């Protein structure tokens, strides 16, 4: 991938030179030869040979999350996970629940904030927020897909791994959809930016209204109180 993108942009670099600015290139390229600046990679499922048998210990899952922005509360989460033939359903379900909550913290709460000089400000529980009891979905349903043995793995099972953590992106996008609805109610339409983690501060500022418009935008050489990577 790293070798592919430079080939895509070769004619841009030769036509405009290394000193050209991105806005100048964008204005010239629109309506002419648009350049594909996205490179995609498809990974094949890794195969592991165990006792002469092909083993594929990967899993699939599906999730649905609903929430209300009272800044904010996850009302309900439903997860169905394909773990093959579970060796211990209680452990597997616990792993799925824990990983999902960990991901919820990563995408909505846990933010590193620095001073302009690079000193980490969020260094303790008072400033670096991790999920607590109140962050658990009010209704949290986790089920294991039945009759889905993985015949090419040990005891037909599958590993849990990172997928439950990544399923928490559903909460982030549910927040963004709720913010979008709030903006429409305020007469604000169009594309908007919401960075992860979607903290309470970012959610509030994204819900544009007469209060957020009173906050001045700081630019130029004005010093900032905090720096977010």
């Amino acid at each position: 991938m790293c070798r592919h993108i430079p080939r895509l942009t070769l004619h841009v670099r030769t036509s405009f030179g290394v000193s050209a600015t991105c806005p100048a290139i964008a204005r010239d390229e629109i309506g002419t030869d648009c350049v594909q600046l996205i490179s995609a990679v498809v990974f094949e499922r890794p195969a592991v040979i165990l006792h002469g048998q092909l083993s594929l210990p990967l899993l699939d899952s599906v999730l649905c999350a609903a929430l209300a922005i009272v800044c904010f509360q996850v009302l309900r989460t439903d997860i169905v996970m394909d773990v093959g033939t579970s060796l211990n359903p209680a452990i597997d379900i616990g792993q799925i629940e824990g990983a999902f909550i960990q991901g919820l913290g990563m995408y909505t709460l846990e933010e590193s904030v620095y001073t302009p000089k690079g000193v980490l400000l969020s260094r303790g529980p008072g400033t670096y927020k991790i999920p607590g009891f109140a962050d658990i979905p009010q209704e949290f349903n986790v089920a294991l897909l039945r009759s889905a043995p993985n015949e090419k793995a040990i005891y037909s099972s599958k590993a849990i791994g990172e997928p439950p953590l990544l399923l928490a992106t559903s909460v982030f996008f549910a927040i963004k959809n709720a913010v979008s609805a709030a903006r429409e109610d305020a007469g604000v339409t169009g594309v908007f930016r919401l960075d992860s983690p979607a903290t309470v501060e970012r959610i509030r500022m994204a819900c544009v209204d007469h209060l957020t418009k009173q906050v001045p935008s700081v630019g130029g050489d004005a010093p900032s109180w905090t720096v977010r990577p």
Side-chain angles (χ1 to χ4, degrees):
M1 180 187 295
C2 295
R3 293 189 296 268
H4 182 57
I5 291 180
R7 290 198 297 268
L8 295 175
T9 60
L10 177 61
H11 90 275
V12 175
R13 289 182 283 122
T14 55
S15 300
F16 294 91
V18 295
S19 61
T21 63
C22 288
I25 295 175
R27 283 194 299 268
D28 190 84
E29 285 294 316
I30 292 176
T32 57
D33 292 329
C34 293
V35 181
Q36 172 87 357
L37 294 179
I38 299 175
S39 184
V41 175
V42 178
F43 292 95
E44 295 183 359
R45 290 193 169 192
V48 181
I49 305 299
L50 294 173
H51 306 296
Q53 297 292 325
L54 179 65
S55 175
L56 296 173
L58 299 183
L59 67 157
D60 301 293
S61 55
V62 63
L63 174 143
C64 179
L67 70 113
I69 288 198
V70 202
C71 273
F72 63 90
Q73 176 65 56
V74 181
L75 303 179
R76 174 172 174 170
T77 295
D78 296 275
I79 300 176
V80 177
M81 185 75 66
D82 176 6
V83 299
T85 300
S86 176
L87 301 180
N88 190 319
I91 290 179
D92 285 342
I93 290 176
Q95 288 282 311
I96 295 167
E97 291 173 339
F100 177 81
I101 296 300
Q102 183 181 358
L104 186 147
M106 182 173 68
Y107 291 117
T108 64
L109 297 172
E110 301 177 38
E111 181 182 32
S112 297
V113 181
Y114 298 82
T115 69
K117 294 184 178 181
V119 179
L120 181 64
L121 290 176
S122 48
R123 288 179 288 183
T127 52
Y128 188 83
K129 303 299 183 182
I130 62 174
F133 294 117
D135 299 305
I136 299 174
Q138 291 183 355
E139 185 175 347
F140 197 1
N141 303 312
V142 177
L144 306 180
L145 187 65
R146 295 184 178 182
S147 303
N150 180 19
E151 298 176 355
K152 296 181 179 180
I154 299 175
Y155 294 109
S156 300
S157 64
K158 292 183 180 181
I160 300 299
E162 290 79 9
L165 184 146
L166 298 176
L167 289 177
T169 55
S170 61
V171 176
F172 173 82
F173 290 112
I175 290 173
K176 189 166 185 179
N177 287 340
V179 171
S180 179
R183 290 167 65 93
E184 289 181 4
D185 290 343
V188 181
T189 59
V191 178
F192 68 98
R193 175 173 173 172
L194 180 64
D195 291 334
S196 174
T199 59
V200 171
E201 175 189 353
R202 286 174 171 162
I203 293 172
R204 182 64 188 92
M205 294 305 296
C207 296
V208 180
D209 58 16
H210 66 286
L211 294 177
T212 60
K213 292 178 180 179
Q214 296 179 30
V215 179
S217 58
V218 178
D221 298 329
S224 59
W225 290 356
T226 59
V227 176
R228 293 173 171 85

